[in-house]
Amino acid sequence: MAIPHSSVSADERLTTVGLLFESSAGLRRMFGRQLEEAGVHTPQSFDILIRLARSEGNELRMSELAAQASLTPSGLTRAVDRLQDQGFVVRRTCPEDRRGSFAQLTHAGRQLMADSLPGHVAQVNRVLEDVFSPEEMDQFSAMLRRLRDYTRAQNTSAGCTGADEVSDSCTEA
């Protein structure tokens, strides 16, 4: 039985959010192929590695890395374990709080980023320059930051901090 077409289901905002999800998935597939060719096995691995590469000392506290990468602590632990097994990341204990730890790029991790970033940046530039003018890119970036900050705040207040964490309590926010 078909759902009747109504003004609610025809709301253009539903289309906008759907387009955002479709675009995100398409970008992940495009960038994922290029990164795999460069030796980075998953987009999630690249997300973690680039955040470490762009951080002071090539390291972040695991809790901060989890928040930035939109992963639960357990999801990040599994991902960092895989990167550690590949020799790209090491963990070290936080000197101020022995319960905390840092993830840090190894020499091999820094080399992987140095080898893969030029191709990735070139592909990002091609995609963005094919779609947006410089002014539109500035506006789009500002809007995405606002949306990211809003969703992060809403999810944090609901107790949901990770992308791989979906539960009933998280869907009620």
Side-chain angles (χ1 to χ4, degrees), residues 40-131:
V40 181
H41 299 292
T42 67
Q44 182 184 69
S45 293
F46 182 77
D47 192 29
I48 292 167
L49 292 169
I50 196 165
R51 289 173 192 284
L52 293 173
R54 295 179 67 177
S55 298
E56 188 175 332
N58 297 134
E59 68 179 11
L60 282 170
R61 281 185 75 108
M62 290 286 285
S63 57
E64 178 61 24
L65 184 55
Q68 286 186 20
S70 299
L71 293 169
T72 61
S74 63
L76 179 66
T77 296
R78 289 189 300 274
V80 169
D81 284 348
R82 286 188 295 274
L83 290 168
Q84 192 167 5
D85 290 346
Q86 295 168 327
F88 299 133
V89 172
V90 293
R91 279 197 192 87
R92 66 176 191 81
T93 303
C94 176
E96 296 85 31
D97 177 5
R98 292 182 42 203
R99 296 170 298 171
S101 63
F102 287 91
Q104 185 176 39
L105 284 181
T106 62
H107 175 73
R110 288 189 302 277
Q111 189 62 52
L112 178 63
M113 289 288 90
D115 293 344
S116 62
L117 276 176
H120 180 66
V121 169
Q123 185 180 32
V124 167
N125 286 339
R126 275 192 307 277
V127 169
L128 296 178
E129 290 170 0
D130 283 353
V131 177

Coordinates of all heavy atoms in Angstrom, one line a residue, residues 40-131:
V40 N 46.0 3.6 2.1 CA 45.2 3.8 3.3 C 43.9 2.9 3.1 O 43.2 3.1 2.2 CB 44.7 5.3 3.5 CG1 43.9 5.4 4.8 CG2 46.0 6.2 3.6
H41 N 43.7 2.0 4.0 CA 42.8 0.9 3.8 C 41.3 1.3 3.9 O 40.5 0.7 3.3 CB 43.1 -0.3 4.6 CG 44.4 -0.9 4.3 ND1 44.7 -1.5 3.1 CD2 45.6 -0.9 5.0 CE1 46.0 -1.9 3.1 NE2 46.5 -1.5 4.2
T42 N 41.0 2.3 4.8 CA 39.6 2.7 5.0 C 39.5 4.2 5.2 O 40.5 4.8 5.7 CB 39.0 2.0 6.2 OG1 39.6 2.5 7.4 CG2 39.1 0.5 6.2
P43 N 38.4 4.8 4.8 CA 38.2 6.2 5.0 C 38.3 6.5 6.5 O 38.8 7.6 6.9 CB 36.8 6.5 4.5 CG 36.6 5.5 3.4 CD 37.3 4.2 3.9
Q44 N 37.9 5.6 7.4 CA 37.9 5.8 8.8 C 39.4 5.9 9.3 O 39.8 6.7 10.1 CB 37.2 4.7 9.5 CG 37.2 4.8 11.0 CD 36.6 3.6 11.7 OE1 37.2 2.5 11.7 NE2 35.4 3.8 12.3
S45 N 40.2 5.0 8.7 CA 41.7 5.1 9.0 C 42.3 6.4 8.6 O 43.0 7.1 9.4 CB 42.4 4.0 8.3 OG 42.1 2.7 8.9
F46 N 41.9 6.9 7.4 CA 42.4 8.2 6.9 C 41.9 9.3 7.9 O 42.7 10.2 8.2 CB 42.0 8.4 5.5 CG 42.5 9.7 5.0 CD1 43.8 9.8 4.6 CD2 41.7 10.8 4.9 CE1 44.3 11.0 4.1 CE2 42.2 12.0 4.4 CZ 43.5 12.1 4.0
D47 N 40.7 9.2 8.3 CA 40.1 10.3 9.1 C 41.0 10.4 10.4 O 41.3 11.5 10.9 CB 38.7 10.0 9.5 CG 38.0 11.1 10.1 OD1 38.3 12.3 9.9 OD2 37.0 10.9 10.9
I48 N 41.3 9.2 11.0 CA 42.1 9.2 12.2 C 43.5 9.7 11.9 O 44.1 10.6 12.7 CB 42.1 7.8 12.8 CG1 40.7 7.5 13.4 CG2 43.2 7.7 13.9 CD1 40.5 6.0 13.7
L49 N 44.1 9.2 10.9 CA 45.5 9.6 10.6 C 45.7 11.0 10.2 O 46.6 11.7 10.7 CB 46.0 8.7 9.4 CG 46.2 7.2 9.7 CD1 46.4 6.5 8.4 CD2 47.3 7.0 10.7
I50 N 44.7 11.6 9.5 CA 44.9 13.0 9.1 C 44.6 13.9 10.3 O 45.3 15.0 10.5 CB 43.9 13.4 8.0 CG1 44.4 14.8 7.4 CG2 42.5 13.5 8.4 CD1 43.9 15.1 6.0
R51 N 43.7 13.5 11.2 CA 43.6 14.3 12.5 C 44.8 14.3 13.3 O 45.2 15.3 13.9 CB 42.3 13.8 13.2 CG 41.0 14.2 12.5 CD 39.8 13.5 13.2 NE 38.7 13.7 12.3 CZ 38.0 14.8 12.1 NH1 38.3 15.9 12.8 NH2 36.9 14.8 11.4
L52 N 45.5 13.2 13.4 CA 46.8 13.1 14.1 C 47.8 13.9 13.4 O 48.6 14.7 14.0 CB 47.2 11.6 14.3 CG 46.3 10.8 15.2 CD1 46.8 9.3 15.1 CD2 46.3 11.3 16.6
A53 N 47.9 13.8 12.1 CA 48.9 14.5 11.3 C 48.7 16.0 11.4 O 49.7 16.8 11.4 CB 48.8 14.1 9.8
R54 N 47.5 16.5 11.6 CA 47.3 17.9 11.7 C 47.3 18.5 13.1 O 47.1 19.6 13.4 CB 45.9 18.2 11.1 CG 45.9 18.0 9.6 CD 44.6 18.2 8.9 NE 44.3 19.7 9.0 CZ 43.3 20.2 8.5 NH1 42.4 19.5 7.9 NH2 43.1 21.5 8.6
S55 N 47.6 17.6 14.1 CA 47.6 18.0 15.5 C 49.1 18.2 15.9 O 50.0 17.6 15.4 CB 47.0 16.9 16.4 OG 45.7 16.7 16.0
E56 N 49.2 19.1 16.9 CA 50.5 19.4 17.5 C 51.2 18.1 18.0 O 50.6 17.3 18.7 CB 50.4 20.4 18.6 CG 51.8 20.9 19.1 CD 51.6 22.0 20.2 OE1 50.6 22.7 20.1 OE2 52.5 22.1 21.0
G57 N 52.4 17.9 17.5 CA 53.1 16.7 18.0 C 52.6 15.4 17.3 O 53.0 14.3 17.7
N58 N 51.7 15.5 16.3 CA 51.1 14.4 15.7 C 50.4 13.4 16.6 O 50.4 12.2 16.5 CB 52.1 13.6 14.8 CG 52.7 14.4 13.7 OD1 53.9 14.4 13.5 ND2 51.9 15.1 13.0
E59 N 49.8 14.0 17.7 CA 49.1 13.2 18.7 C 47.9 13.9 19.2 O 47.8 15.1 19.2 CB 50.0 12.8 19.8 CG 50.4 14.0 20.7 CD 51.3 13.6 21.8 OE1 51.9 12.5 21.9 OE2 51.5 14.5 22.7
L60 N 46.9 13.1 19.7 CA 45.7 13.6 20.4 C 45.4 12.6 21.5 O 45.7 11.4 21.4 CB 44.6 13.6 19.4 CG 44.5 14.8 18.4 CD1 43.4 14.6 17.4 CD2 44.2 16.1 19.2
R61 N 44.8 13.1 22.5 CA 44.2 12.2 23.5 C 43.1 11.4 22.8 O 42.4 11.8 21.9 CB 43.5 13.0 24.6 CG 44.5 13.6 25.6 CD 43.7 14.3 26.8 NE 43.2 13.3 27.7 CZ 43.6 13.0 28.9 NH1 44.6 13.7 29.4 NH2 43.1 12.1 29.6
M62 N 43.0 10.1 23.3 CA 42.1 9.2 22.6 C 40.7 9.8 22.7 O 39.9 9.7 21.8 CB 42.2 7.8 23.3 CG 43.5 7.1 23.0 SD 43.5 6.4 21.3 CE 42.4 5.0 21.4
S63 N 40.3 10.4 23.9 CA 38.9 10.9 24.0 C 38.7 12.0 23.0 O 37.6 12.1 22.4 CB 38.7 11.4 25.4 OG 39.7 12.4 25.8
E64 N 39.7 12.9 22.8 CA 39.5 14.0 21.8 C 39.5 13.5 20.4 O 38.7 13.9 19.6 CB 40.6 15.0 22.0 CG 40.6 16.1 21.0 CD 39.3 17.0 21.1 OE1 38.7 17.1 22.2 OE2 39.0 17.6 20.1
L65 N 40.3 12.5 20.1 CA 40.3 11.9 18.8 C 38.9 11.2 18.5 O 38.4 11.3 17.4 CB 41.4 10.9 18.7 CG 41.6 10.2 17.3 CD1 41.8 11.2 16.2 CD2 42.9 9.3 17.4
A66 N 38.4 10.5 19.5 CA 37.1 9.9 19.3 C 36.0 10.9 19.0 O 35.2 10.7 18.1 CB 36.7 9.1 20.6
A67 N 36.0 12.0 19.7 CA 35.0 13.1 19.5 C 35.2 13.7 18.1 O 34.2 13.9 17.4 CB 35.1 14.2 20.6
Q68 N 36.4 14.0 17.7 CA 36.7 14.6 16.4 C 36.3 13.6 15.3 O 35.8 14.0 14.2 CB 38.1 15.0 16.3 CG 38.5 16.2 17.0 CD 39.9 16.6 16.7 OE1 40.5 16.3 15.7 NE2 40.5 17.4 17.6
A69 N 36.6 12.3 15.5 CA 36.3 11.4 14.4 C 34.9 10.8 14.5 O 34.6 9.9 13.7 CB 37.4 10.2 14.5
S70 N 34.1 11.3 15.4 CA 32.7 10.8 15.6 C 32.6 9.3 15.8 O 31.8 8.6 15.2 CB 31.8 11.2 14.4 OG 31.8 12.6 14.2
L71 N 33.5 8.8 16.7 CA 33.5 7.4 17.0 C 33.3 7.3 18.5 O 33.6 8.2 19.3 CB 34.9 6.8 16.7 CG 35.2 6.7 15.2 CD1 36.7 6.3 15.0 CD2 34.3 5.7 14.5
T72 N 32.7 6.2 18.9 CA 32.6 5.9 20.3 C 34.0 5.5 20.8 O 34.9 5.1 20.0 CB 31.7 4.7 20.6 OG1 32.2 3.5 19.9 CG2 30.3 5.0 20.2
P73 N 34.3 5.6 22.1 CA 35.6 5.1 22.6 C 35.9 3.7 22.2 O 37.1 3.5 21.7 CB 35.4 5.2 24.1 CG 34.5 6.4 24.3 CD 33.5 6.2 23.2
S74 N 35.0 2.8 22.2 CA 35.3 1.4 21.8 C 35.5 1.3 20.3 O 36.4 0.6 19.8 CB 34.2 0.4 22.2 OG 33.0 0.8 21.6
G75 N 34.8 2.1 19.5 CA 35.0 2.1 18.0 C 36.4 2.7 17.7 O 37.1 2.2 16.8
L76 N 36.8 3.7 18.4 CA 38.1 4.3 18.2 C 39.2 3.3 18.6 O 40.2 3.2 17.9 CB 38.3 5.6 18.9 CG 39.7 6.2 18.8 CD1 39.9 6.7 17.3 CD2 39.9 7.4 19.7
T77 N 39.0 2.6 19.7 CA 40.0 1.7 20.2 C 40.3 0.6 19.2 O 41.4 0.3 18.8 CB 39.5 1.0 21.5 OG1 39.5 2.0 22.5 CG2 40.5 -0.1 22.0
R78 N 39.2 0.1 18.6 CA 39.3 -0.9 17.5 C 40.1 -0.4 16.3 O 41.0 -1.0 15.7 CB 38.0 -1.5 17.1 CG 37.3 -2.4 18.1 CD 36.1 -3.1 17.6 NE 35.1 -2.1 17.1 CZ 34.1 -1.6 17.9 NH1 34.1 -1.9 19.2 NH2 33.2 -0.7 17.4
A79 N 39.7 0.8 15.9 CA 40.4 1.5 14.7 C 41.9 1.7 15.0 O 42.7 1.5 14.2 CB 39.7 2.8 14.3
V80 N 42.2 2.3 16.2 CA 43.6 2.5 16.5 C 44.3 1.2 16.7 O 45.5 1.1 16.3 CB 43.7 3.4 17.8 CG1 45.1 3.5 18.3 CG2 43.2 4.8 17.5
D81 N 43.7 0.2 17.2 CA 44.4 -1.1 17.3 C 44.8 -1.6 15.9 O 45.9 -2.1 15.7 CB 43.4 -2.2 17.9 CG 43.3 -2.1 19.4 OD1 44.1 -1.4 20.0 OD2 42.3 -2.7 19.9
R82 N 43.9 -1.4 14.9 CA 44.3 -1.8 13.5 C 45.4 -1.0 13.0 O 46.3 -1.5 12.3 CB 43.0 -1.7 12.6 CG 42.0 -2.8 12.8 CD 40.9 -2.8 11.7 NE 40.1 -1.5 11.8 CZ 39.0 -1.4 12.5 NH1 38.6 -2.3 13.3 NH2 38.3 -0.2 12.5
L83 N 45.4 0.3 13.2 CA 46.4 1.2 12.8 C 47.8 0.9 13.5 O 48.8 1.0 12.9 CB 46.0 2.7 12.9 CG 44.9 3.2 12.0 CD1 44.4 4.5 12.5 CD2 45.4 3.2 10.6
Q84 N 47.7 0.5 14.7 CA 48.9 0.2 15.5 C 49.4 -1.1 14.9 O 50.7 -1.2 14.8 CB 48.5 0.0 17.0 CG 49.7 -0.1 17.9 CD 49.4 0.1 19.3 OE1 48.2 0.2 19.7 NE2 50.4 0.2 20.2
D85 N 48.6 -2.1 14.6 CA 49.0 -3.4 14.0 C 49.7 -3.1 12.7 O 50.7 -3.9 12.3 CB 47.9 -4.3 13.8 CG 47.3 -4.9 15.1 OD1 48.0 -4.7 16.2 OD2 46.2 -5.4 15.1
Q86 N 49.3 -2.1 12.0 CA 49.9 -1.8 10.7 C 51.2 -0.9 10.8 O 51.9 -0.6 9.9 CB 48.9 -1.0 9.8 CG 47.7 -1.9 9.4 CD 46.6 -1.0 8.8 OE1 46.4 0.1 9.1 NE2 45.9 -1.7 7.9
G87 N 51.5 -0.5 12.1 CA 52.7 0.3 12.3 C 52.5 1.8 12.1 O 53.5 2.5 12.1
F88 N 51.3 2.3 12.0 CA 51.1 3.7 11.7 C 50.8 4.6 12.9 O 51.0 5.8 12.9 CB 49.9 3.9 10.7 CG 50.1 3.2 9.4 CD1 49.1 2.4 8.8 CD2 51.3 3.4 8.7 CE1 49.3 1.8 7.6 CE2 51.5 2.7 7.5 CZ 50.5 2.0 6.9
V89 N 50.5 4.0 14.0 CA 50.1 4.7 15.2 C 50.7 3.9 16.4 O 50.7 2.7 16.4 CB 48.6 4.8 15.3 CG1 48.1 5.4 16.7 CG2 48.0 5.6 14.2
V90 N 51.0 4.7 17.5 CA 51.3 4.1 18.8 C 50.5 4.8 19.8 O 50.0 5.9 19.6 CB 52.8 4.2 19.2 CG1 53.7 3.4 18.2 CG2 53.3 5.7 19.2
R91 N 50.3 4.1 20.9 CA 49.6 4.7 22.1 C 50.6 5.0 23.1 O 51.6 4.2 23.3 CB 48.6 3.7 22.6 CG 47.3 3.6 21.9 CD 46.3 2.9 22.8 NE 45.1 2.6 22.1 CZ 44.9 1.5 21.4 NH1 45.9 0.6 21.4 NH2 43.8 1.3 20.7
R92 N 50.4 6.0 23.8 CA 51.2 6.3 25.0 C 50.4 6.8 26.1 O 49.3 7.5 25.9 CB 52.4 7.3 24.6 CG 52.0 8.6 24.3 CD 53.3 9.5 24.1 NE 52.9 10.9 23.9 CZ 52.7 11.7 25.0 NH1 52.8 11.3 26.2 NH2 52.4 13.0 24.8
T93 N 50.8 6.5 27.3 CA 50.0 6.9 28.5 C 50.1 8.4 28.7 O 51.2 9.0 28.5 CB 50.5 6.2 29.7 OG1 50.4 4.8 29.5 CG2 49.7 6.5 31.0
C94 N 49.0 9.0 29.1 CA 49.0 10.5 29.5 C 49.8 10.7 30.8 O 49.4 10.1 31.8 CB 47.6 11.0 29.6 SG 47.5 12.7 30.1
P95 N 50.8 11.5 30.8 CA 51.6 11.7 32.0 C 50.8 12.4 33.2 O 51.0 12.1 34.3 CB 52.8 12.6 31.6 CG 52.5 13.1 30.3 CD 51.4 12.2 29.7
E96 N 49.8 13.2 32.8 CA 49.0 13.9 33.8 C 47.9 13.1 34.4 O 47.4 13.3 35.5 CB 48.4 15.2 33.3 CG 49.4 16.3 32.9 CD 49.9 16.0 31.4 OE1 49.2 15.5 30.6 OE2 51.1 16.4 31.2
D97 N 47.4 12.1 33.6 CA 46.3 11.3 34.0 C 46.5 9.9 33.4 O 46.2 9.6 32.3 CB 45.0 11.9 33.4 CG 43.7 11.0 33.7 OD1 43.9 10.0 34.5 OD2 42.7 11.4 33.2
R98 N 47.0 9.0 34.3 CA 47.4 7.7 33.8 C 46.3 6.8 33.3 O 46.5 5.8 32.6 CB 48.2 6.9 34.9 CG 49.5 7.6 35.2 CD 50.3 6.9 36.3 NE 50.3 5.5 36.1 CZ 50.6 4.7 37.1 NH1 50.8 5.1 38.3 NH2 50.5 3.4 36.9
R99 N 45.0 7.3 33.5 CA 43.9 6.6 33.0 C 43.7 6.9 31.5 O 43.1 6.2 30.7 CB 42.6 6.9 33.7 CG 42.6 6.5 35.2 CD 41.4 7.0 35.9 NE 41.5 8.5 35.9 CZ 40.6 9.4 36.2 NH1 39.5 8.9 36.7 NH2 40.8 10.6 36.2
G100 N 44.2 8.1 31.1 CA 44.1 8.5 29.7 C 45.2 8.1 28.9 O 46.3 7.8 29.4
S101 N 45.1 8.1 27.6 CA 46.2 7.8 26.7 C 46.1 8.7 25.4 O 45.0 9.2 25.1 CB 46.2 6.3 26.3 OG 45.0 6.0 25.6
F102 N 47.2 8.7 24.7 CA 47.3 9.5 23.5 C 47.5 8.5 22.3 O 48.1 7.4 22.5 CB 48.6 10.4 23.5 CG 48.4 11.6 24.4 CD1 48.8 11.5 25.7 CD2 47.9 12.8 23.8 CE1 48.7 12.7 26.5 CE2 47.8 13.9 24.6 CZ 48.2 13.8 26.0
A103 N 47.0 8.8 21.2 CA 47.4 8.1 19.9 C 48.3 9.1 19.2 O 48.1 10.3 19.2 CB 46.1 7.9 19.1
Q104 N 49.4 8.5 18.7 CA 50.5 9.3 18.1 C 50.9 8.6 16.8 O 51.1 7.4 16.7 CB 51.6 9.5 19.0 CG 52.7 10.4 18.5 CD 53.8 10.6 19.5 OE1 54.2 9.7 20.2 NE2 54.3 11.8 19.5
L105 N 51.1 9.4 15.7 CA 51.6 8.9 14.5 C 53.0 8.4 14.7 O 53.8 9.0 15.3 CB 51.6 9.9 13.4 CG 50.3 10.3 12.7 CD1 50.6 11.4 11.6 CD2 49.6 9.1 12.1
T106 N 53.4 7.3 14.1 CA 54.7 6.8 14.0 C 55.4 7.4 12.8 O 54.8 8.1 11.9 CB 54.7 5.3 13.8 OG1 54.1 4.9 12.6 CG2 54.1 4.6 15.0
H107 N 56.7 7.1 12.6 CA 57.4 7.5 11.4 C 56.7 7.0 10.1 O 56.4 7.7 9.2 CB 58.8 7.1 11.4 CG 59.6 7.4 10.2 ND1 59.9 8.7 9.8 CD2 59.9 6.6 9.1 CE1 60.5 8.7 8.6 NE2 60.6 7.4 8.2
A108 N 56.3 5.7 10.2 CA 55.5 5.1 9.1 C 54.2 5.8 8.8 O 53.8 6.0 7.7 CB 55.3 3.6 9.3
G109 N 53.5 6.2 9.9 CA 52.3 6.9 9.7 C 52.5 8.3 9.1 O 51.7 8.7 8.2
R110 N 53.5 9.0 9.5 CA 53.8 10.3 8.9 C 54.2 10.1 7.5 O 53.8 10.9 6.6 CB 54.9 11.0 9.7 CG 54.5 11.5 11.1 CD 55.5 12.4 11.8 NE 56.8 11.7 12.0 CZ 57.1 10.9 13.0 NH1 56.2 10.7 13.9 NH2 58.3 10.4 13.1
Q111 N 54.9 9.1 7.1 CA 55.3 8.8 5.8 C 54.1 8.5 4.9 O 54.0 9.0 3.8 CB 56.3 7.7 5.7 CG 56.9 7.5 4.3 CD 57.7 8.8 3.8 OE1 58.6 9.3 4.5 NE2 57.4 9.3 2.7
L112 N 53.2 7.7 5.4 CA 52.0 7.4 4.7 C 51.2 8.6 4.4 O 50.7 8.8 3.3 CB 51.1 6.4 5.5 CG 49.8 6.0 4.9 CD1 50.0 5.2 3.6 CD2 49.0 5.1 5.8
M113 N 51.1 9.5 5.4 CA 50.4 10.8 5.2 C 51.1 11.6 4.1 O 50.5 12.2 3.2 CB 50.2 11.6 6.5 CG 49.2 11.0 7.4 SD 47.5 11.1 6.9 CE 47.2 9.6 6.0
A114 N 52.4 11.7 4.2 CA 53.2 12.5 3.2 C 53.0 11.9 1.8 O 52.9 12.7 0.9 CB 54.7 12.5 3.6
D115 N 52.9 10.6 1.7 CA 52.7 10.0 0.4 C 51.3 10.1 -0.1 O 51.1 10.3 -1.3 CB 53.1 8.5 0.5 CG 54.6 8.3 0.7 OD1 55.4 9.2 0.5 OD2 54.9 7.1 1.1
S116 N 50.3 10.0 0.8 CA 48.9 10.0 0.3 C 48.2 11.4 0.2 O 47.3 11.6 -0.6 CB 48.1 9.1 1.2 OG 48.0 9.5 2.5
L117 N 48.7 12.3 1.0 CA 48.0 13.6 1.0 C 48.0 14.4 -0.3 O 47.0 15.0 -0.6 CB 48.6 14.5 2.2 CG 47.9 14.3 3.5 CD1 48.6 15.1 4.6 CD2 46.4 14.5 3.5
P118 N 49.1 14.4 -1.0 CA 49.1 15.2 -2.3 C 48.0 14.7 -3.2 O 47.3 15.6 -3.8 CB 50.5 15.0 -2.8 CG 51.4 14.8 -1.6 CD 50.5 14.0 -0.7
G119 N 47.9 13.5 -3.4 CA 46.8 12.9 -4.3 C 45.4 13.2 -3.7 O 44.5 13.5 -4.5
H120 N 45.3 13.1 -2.4 CA 44.0 13.4 -1.8 C 43.6 14.8 -1.9 O 42.5 15.2 -2.3 CB 44.0 12.9 -0.3 CG 42.7 13.2 0.4 ND1 41.6 12.5 0.0 CD2 42.4 14.0 1.4 CE1 40.6 12.9 0.8 NE2 41.1 13.8 1.6
V121 N 44.6 15.7 -1.7 CA 44.3 17.2 -1.8 C 44.0 17.5 -3.2 O 43.0 18.3 -3.5 CB 45.5 18.0 -1.2 CG1 45.4 19.4 -1.6 CG2 45.6 17.8 0.3
A122 N 44.7 16.9 -4.2 CA 44.4 17.2 -5.6 C 43.0 16.8 -5.9 O 42.2 17.5 -6.6 CB 45.4 16.5 -6.5
Q123 N 42.5 15.6 -5.4 CA 41.2 15.1 -5.7 C 40.1 16.0 -5.0 O 39.1 16.4 -5.6 CB 41.0 13.7 -5.3 CG 39.6 13.2 -5.7 CD 39.4 11.7 -5.3 OE1 39.9 11.3 -4.3 NE2 38.6 11.0 -6.1
V124 N 40.4 16.4 -3.8 CA 39.5 17.3 -3.1 C 39.3 18.6 -3.9 O 38.2 19.1 -4.1 CB 40.0 17.6 -1.7 CG1 39.2 18.7 -1.0 CG2 39.8 16.3 -0.8
N125 N 40.5 19.2 -4.3 CA 40.4 20.4 -5.1 C 39.6 20.3 -6.4 O 38.8 21.1 -6.7 CB 41.8 20.9 -5.4 CG 42.5 21.5 -4.2 OD1 41.9 21.9 -3.2 ND2 43.8 21.5 -4.2
R126 N 39.9 19.1 -7.1 CA 39.1 18.9 -8.3 C 37.6 18.9 -8.1 O 36.8 19.5 -8.8 CB 39.6 17.6 -9.0 CG 40.8 17.7 -9.9 CD 41.0 16.4 -10.7 NE 41.0 15.2 -10.0 CZ 42.1 14.7 -9.3 NH1 43.2 15.4 -9.4 NH2 42.0 13.6 -8.7
V127 N 37.2 18.1 -7.1 CA 35.8 18.0 -6.8 C 35.2 19.4 -6.4 O 34.2 19.8 -7.0 CB 35.5 17.0 -5.6 CG1 34.1 17.1 -5.1 CG2 35.9 15.6 -6.1
L128 N 35.8 20.1 -5.5 CA 35.3 21.3 -5.0 C 35.3 22.4 -6.1 O 34.3 23.2 -6.2 CB 36.0 21.8 -3.7 CG 35.8 20.9 -2.5 CD1 36.6 21.4 -1.3 CD2 34.4 20.7 -2.2
E129 N 36.4 22.5 -6.8 CA 36.5 23.5 -7.9 C 35.5 23.2 -9.0 O 35.0 24.1 -9.7 CB 37.9 23.6 -8.4 CG 38.8 24.2 -7.4 CD 40.3 24.2 -7.7 OE1 40.6 23.6 -8.8 OE2 41.1 24.6 -6.9
D130 N 35.2 21.9 -9.3 CA 34.2 21.5 -10.3 C 32.8 21.9 -9.9 O 31.9 22.1 -10.7 CB 34.2 20.0 -10.6 CG 35.4 19.6 -11.4 OD1 36.1 20.5 -11.9 OD2 35.6 18.4 -11.6
V131 N 32.5 22.0 -8.6 CA 31.2 22.2 -8.1 C 30.9 23.6 -7.6 O 29.8 24.2 -7.8 CB 30.8 21.2 -6.9 CG1 29.5 21.4 -6.3 CG2 31.0 19.8 -7.5

